[in-house]
Amino acid sequence: MMTITDPHSEAVAASTKWQNQSAAGNAGSQRIDEIYGTDVFDLRKMRERLPKGTYKSVMAAVSNGQRLSQLDADVIATAMKDWAIERGATHYCHWFQPMTGQTAEKHDGLSIPDGEGGVVFQLSGSDLVQGEPDASFPSGGLRATFEARGYTAWDPTSPAFIVRGANYATLCIPTAFVSWNGEALDKKIPLLRSIDALNSQAMRVLKIFGTDAGVSSVGSTLGVEQEYFLVDRSLYHARPDLSTCDRTLFGSRPPKHQQLEDHYFGSIQPRVLSFMADVEDELYRLGVPVRTRHNEVAPGQYEIAPLFESSNIACDHQMLVMETLKRVAGRYGFACILHEKPFAGVNGSGKHNNWSLSTNTGVNLLDPQDETHTNLQFMVFMCAVIRAVDVHADLLRASIASASNDHRLGANEAPPAIISVFLGDMLADLVEQLEKGATSRTLKGGNLDLGARTLPTLRRDSGDRNRTSPFAFTGNKFEFRAVGSSASVAWPNTVINTIVAESLDYLATEIEGKLKSASPTEAQLEKVVKTVLQQVVKEHKRVIFNGDGYSEAWHQEAEKRGLPNFRSTPDALPALMTPKARNVFKKYKVLSRAELDSRAEIFTEQYITRMRIEAETMISMARQLILPAAFEHQRRVAQTVTATEQAGVDATDIREALETVAGLVGRFKSQADRLEAALAGVPHDAHKGARVVRDEVFPAMQALRDLGDGLEDAVAAGLWPMPTYRELLTIR
């Protein structure tokens, strides 16, 4: 006779025990200024350790893209090696970002035999500059299966760092990853190319306004807010869906979840706060300028956010943030979940991508300043972004498309799949003035009197924020709110940089063509600029929306305006294969047609593969966990019916309950079979397969989940074979 005991009581007991053990917290942390950047071979350490000439070459490479000589590389490698050994490193690796969406590394020892029974430490300039890992990563057809050679190339603009563990320290050298044919196989090369394109076109605009004096470059800056969940590790590993897919494929929502909104910005529990402090210590050592930590909306959900940095370094640091969250979580008995929607019925996680433009002299080109209506240069950059978002809304949507983000976009917790721009009251009024051809005022926010003598008067911003907008202006930057929490931000920022470069090119060309003099007067320049901007606003104002992006009325209005609404990844990814997309990436030398097509192929294959893994996991859980528990429940209820009737007691209610469960079990088993059949029908062609997954496999998964969640509510709690939402979302 089959018997089933309570399958997750031990996991719950273990989580409670760990919580009690961790109550002491993280006392004794060192001061931030004593540890910040200690494990980074940054410019300050280079200045201390390198000859002056070599250091100047490094600065020229970082600031102006000047190539380093082999001699300089040898000197830098020796200094980097000596520093790393002093810090306890035994190995080094070229740290790169292939198209898997994760980072990759191959470790090599810093020590070699000296021929006399000992060792010497070695890192040559050649070792620093170039590596050769196996190229068996997703290539989207750029490489044949049998072609294995690929190269990593040192990126001197992103400093090397040391990653530590209990008994290891590894020197990590940020690199780009390229095929033997020279095609980009990673996310760094296109990002760096897009930064170059943006710099060229932004400098043209500054030259028009005569503000390029002393400015050698313009780059995008970035601050990325990272949302994540923490789940007790014992409970996490007791669920095959979480441990395999990072999201729950079954799970009935408990009576209490986030509806009281008592978790949001609430007091941080000691075990979680200790984890956060440890994460921050590690990130400080790596030079990541994290600043914000707090509870997010859903139970068990949190956020960490850094200060702004140049976009290339910020993208590298973002990968380090995700890796550090995952690595440190285990020390505190947690599993860190970065999936966009790990739990149905509560808020998912995003990654707000705060993007701006800055000169090398530190001027933020998206700072409107006090009298914005007189700031023509700002208006040009603002209108360039508006035009870029309108012309290339499909590319922006494609840049954040994934199987996991599909669960989140459009729900009442995240921006809709319709890409629009929120400007706020002040800039919206300015745009209206531009459309009429003249600007004469800047709306002010005024002050707020809080009505109590002891409270200060607050300065109110000129407009409110809009959490429903996917691309919102928030004071001196644009916030791309639709990026998924598990994604690398390098690809979305490559797209933003490229499309804004194209718009700046368009505006600069229009202005230059209309100026009758190489040295126009201020009045002549103002007249031409406002004429050009007036036309841009008229053509692209349809993308501006300051209202509720969640409302059905907006969906109807967006359709009238002709704005695209790609609701799923298979809808969105074809935008990468249009002539428009190919032309813009080719023109600015960001991606060749082959490189762009490869990304469309890779992203499509990843969508199918992730969905297939989830579907197969669901089938496995249905047959190996849920059905046996349901059968055991039926058996016990049937025994109760027999015993009750033998005792001469009416068992009608119990029998009806048994029949209800039996009906659910039958439908559940049949739906698992239908899901398996839908999976078997997915064609090998990637783009056709993605549509079949969207139209047939995903609905079958949803139907199976609904039935499974119904069984969870019906089967005795002591028989349910996995931790429930109540336990996953509340035990800390």
Side-chain angles (χ1 to χ4, degrees):
M1 180 183 298
M2 180 179 67
T3 59
I4 297 179
T5 58
D6 183 348
H8 57 266
S9 59
E10 290 185 5
V12 173
S15 66
T16 304
K17 182 180 180 182
W18 222 109
Q19 187 177 18
N20 292 337
Q21 287 177 340
S22 66
N26 190 25
S29 295
Q30 290 179 269
R31 283 172 47 131
I32 295 171
D33 58 347
E34 294 175 351
I35 64 173
Y36 191 84
T38 52
D39 280 339
V40 185
F41 194 63
D42 52 24
L43 291 176
R44 182 178 60 182
K45 296 182 183 69
M46 288 189 186
R47 186 174 64 245
E48 294 170 352
R49 291 173 175 264
L50 296 177
K52 288 184 179 180
T54 305
Y55 179 71
K56 287 182 179 179
S57 297
V58 171
M59 290 301 298
V62 172
S63 302
N64 305 318
Q66 179 177 307
R67 295 183 186 275
L68 289 164
S69 68
Q70 183 62 48
L71 179 60
D72 284 332
D74 286 333
V75 174
I76 295 166
T78 299
M80 186 185 295
K81 175 257 299 179
D82 292 343
W83 168 81
I85 291 169
E86 290 169 15
R87 301 291 299 161
T90 59
H91 289 71
Y92 76 95
C93 72
H94 276 197
W95 184 81
F96 59 102
Q97 300 174 40
M99 295 302 296
T100 58
Q102 309 296 318
T103 60
E105 54 197 51
K106 182 185 79 171
H107 296 198
D108 288 300
L110 286 167
S111 60
I112 60 172
D114 63 1
E116 298 179 353
V119 297
V120 293
F121 294 102
Q122 178 176 300
L123 179 67
S124 69
S126 297
D127 293 332
L128 171 63
V129 170
Q130 181 174 328
E132 188 182 329
D134 190 292
S136 301
F137 291 92
S139 71
L142 288 177
R143 303 287 283 153
T145 303
F146 63 85
E147 295 174 320
R149 193 182 295 278
Y151 302 112
T152 47
W154 175 40
D155 173 15
T157 65
S158 186
F161 54 90
I162 293 175
V163 170
R164 298 184 177 280
N167 63 346
Y168 64 85
T170 304
L171 171 65
C172 297
I173 302 166
T175 57
F177 182 43
V178 65
S179 74
W180 181 79
N181 294 324
E183 293 150 327
L185 294 177
D186 70 344
K187 299 194 174 184
K188 179 181 278 284
I189 292 175
L191 176 66
L192 292 173
R193 292 172 180 170
S194 74
I195 292 171
D196 289 344
L198 186 64
N199 171 57
S200 296
Q201 303 308 322
M203 288 297 294
R204 283 179 65 194
V205 173
L206 295 188
K207 185 176 181 180
I208 288 171
F209 286 96
T211 55
D212 59 327
V215 177
S216 59
S217 64
V218 173
S220 55
T221 58
L222 192 61
V224 185
E225 305 165 34
Q226 175 71 59
E227 295 174 345
Y228 61 94
F229 279 85
L230 292 176
V231 172
D232 187 275
R233 199 171 187 84
S234 301
L235 303 178
Y236 177 88
H237 286 294
R239 291 205 49 132
D241 48 4
L242 276 179
S243 57
T244 303
C245 308
D246 237 22
R247 85 174 181 100
T248 53
L249 302 173
F250 295 100
S252 179
R253 192 168 64 174
K256 181 183 182 297
H257 42 92
Q258 69 181 47
Q259 65 268 55
L260 291 177
E261 300 178 347
D262 52 349
H263 187 262
Y264 197 31
F265 284 95
S267 176
I268 304 173
Q269 294 178 331
R271 179 181 174 191
V272 174
L273 193 54
S274 294
F275 157 78
M276 289 178 169
D278 209 352
V279 167
E280 289 172 347
D281 275 0
E282 289 216 5
L283 292 174
Y284 291 146
R285 293 178 187 277
L286 294 171
V288 182
V290 289
R291 187 173 187 182
T292 301
R293 65 189 186 199
H294 62 83
N295 288 1
E296 257 297 335
V297 175
Q301 187 184 33
Y302 308 93
E303 181 177 298
I304 182 172
L307 296 172
F308 274 71
E309 301 178 275
S310 65
S311 56
N312 179 40
I313 293 177
C315 289
D316 284 357
H317 280 172
Q318 228 295 303
M319 300 305 294
L320 284 176
V321 167
M322 292 194 290
E323 291 173 357
T324 303
L325 288 169
K326 286 277 193 181
R327 184 173 62 251
V328 175
R331 300 176 196 166
Y332 293 85
F334 286 127
C336 175
I337 301 176
L338 299 176
H339 193 284
E340 284 76 1
K341 193 72 172 178
F343 303 103
V346 299
N347 272 26
S349 296
K351 184 176 293 183
H352 298 173
N353 189 93
N354 295 281
W355 178 93
S356 193
L357 286 166
S358 180
T359 68
N360 67 301
T361 57
V363 176
N364 183 349
L365 299 174
L366 288 178
D367 184 351
Q369 302 179 6
D370 290 336
E371 299 301 323
T372 311
H373 67 281
T374 66
N375 190 346
L376 280 178
Q377 181 174 283
F378 165 79
M379 294 182 212
V380 169
F381 282 104
M382 175 191 69
C383 287
V385 175
I386 293 170
R387 180 186 177 278
V389 174
D390 186 34
V391 172
H392 299 290
D394 56 344
L395 280 181
L396 278 176
R397 173 64 182 91
S399 77
I400 45 90
S402 69
S404 52
N405 212 18
D406 280 358
H407 295 289
R408 171 179 164 266
L409 292 180
N412 284 350
E413 60 183 81
I418 304 166
I419 303 296
S420 63
V421 175
F422 168 80
L423 294 179
D425 294 341
M426 185 268 284
L427 291 187
D429 179 69
L430 185 64
V431 166
E432 287 181 9
Q433 295 179 59
L434 279 172
E435 187 177 6
K436 296 173 183 176
T439 56
S440 60
R441 66 179 182 275
T442 298
L443 294 183
K444 304 294 183 181
N447 296 318
L448 287 174
D449 184 348
L450 303 185
R453 288 183 297 116
T454 56
L455 294 177
T457 299
L458 299 183
R459 181 183 177 186
R460 183 169 62 182
D461 290 304
S462 58
D464 206 346
R465 294 174 64 191
N466 188 326
R467 63 186 297 270
T468 71
S469 174
F471 209 91
F473 187 79
T474 55
N476 59 3
K477 63 187 185 299
F478 281 93
E479 183 179 30
F480 192 20
R481 297 174 55 88
V483 182
S485 54
S486 67
S488 161
V489 293
W491 175 235
N493 284 285
T494 297
V495 172
I496 295 172
N497 290 343
T498 304
I499 64 177
V500 172
E502 189 267 343
S503 270
L504 289 172
D505 183 359
Y506 172 84
L507 287 171
T509 300
E510 288 291 303
I511 294 169
E512 289 165 352
K514 287 180 170 55
L515 287 173
K516 296 179 180 179
S517 168
S519 301
T521 65
E522 206 170 295
Q524 289 171 332
L525 178 61
E526 180 178 353
K527 181 179 179 181
V528 168
V529 169
K530 287 187 176 178
T531 299
V532 172
L533 295 186
Q534 181 182 33
Q535 188 61 35
V536 168
V537 168
K538 287 180 178 179
E539 291 178 3
H540 302 289
K541 67 179 181 179
R542 66 173 187 164
V543 79
I544 299 170
F545 179 65
N546 290 336
D548 182 2
Y550 294 165
S551 69
E552 181 58 33
W554 166 234
H555 285 248
Q556 296 171 5
E557 173 64 22
E559 187 174 358
K560 290 179 184 177
R561 296 187 187 188
L563 299 180
N565 184 7
F566 301 120
R567 299 176 183 273
S568 70
T569 294
D571 295 327
L573 290 180
L576 299 177
M577 296 179 287
T578 62
K580 176 171 69 77
R582 289 166 175 160
N583 289 339
V584 72
F585 283 111
K586 180 181 178 181
K587 180 177 180 180
Y588 298 98
K589 301 179 181 179
V590 175
L591 289 168
S592 68
R593 174 171 177 169
E595 289 171 329
L596 182 59
D597 287 352
S598 75
R599 279 147 180 79
E601 189 77 15
I602 290 168
F603 298 150
T604 303
E605 289 284 1
Q606 288 174 341
Y607 171 81
I608 295 171
T609 302
R610 291 184 185 279
M611 293 296 292
R612 181 178 288 279
I613 290 170
E614 289 190 0
E616 290 177 356
T617 302
M618 284 193 86
I619 294 167
S620 173
M621 292 174 69
R623 291 175 176 166
Q624 297 177 12
L625 294 176
I626 296 176
L627 281 174
F631 291 151
E632 176 66 10
H633 176 82
Q634 286 178 282
R635 186 186 67 80
R636 293 189 183 186
V637 174
Q639 287 180 334
T640 302
V641 169
T642 301
T644 301
E645 290 178 340
Q646 288 176 348
V649 178
D650 183 12
T652 301
D653 290 343
I654 305 174
R655 187 177 291 280
E656 288 178 353
L658 176 60
E659 291 172 353
T660 298
V661 173
L664 264 177
V665 168
R667 295 195 298 276
F668 182 76
K669 183 179 181 304
S670 297
Q671 186 58 41
D673 294 339
R674 282 193 285 271
L675 174 56
E676 188 171 47
L679 263 184
V682 176
H684 292 295
D685 178 88
H687 301 287
K688 291 179 182 177
R691 292 192 291 272
V692 171
V693 167
R694 176 196 63 197
D695 297 336
E696 298 181 24
V697 174
F698 182 66
M701 292 172 64
Q702 289 295 102
L704 184 62
R705 175 173 190 142
D706 291 342
L707 292 167
D709 292 353
L711 281 173
E712 181 181 337
D713 292 334
V715 170
L719 295 175
W720 194 247
M722 64 194 88
T724 65
Y725 270 29
R726 179 184 62 81
E727 294 152 347
L728 293 167
L729 292 173
T730 60
I731 293 179
R732 296 290 175 270

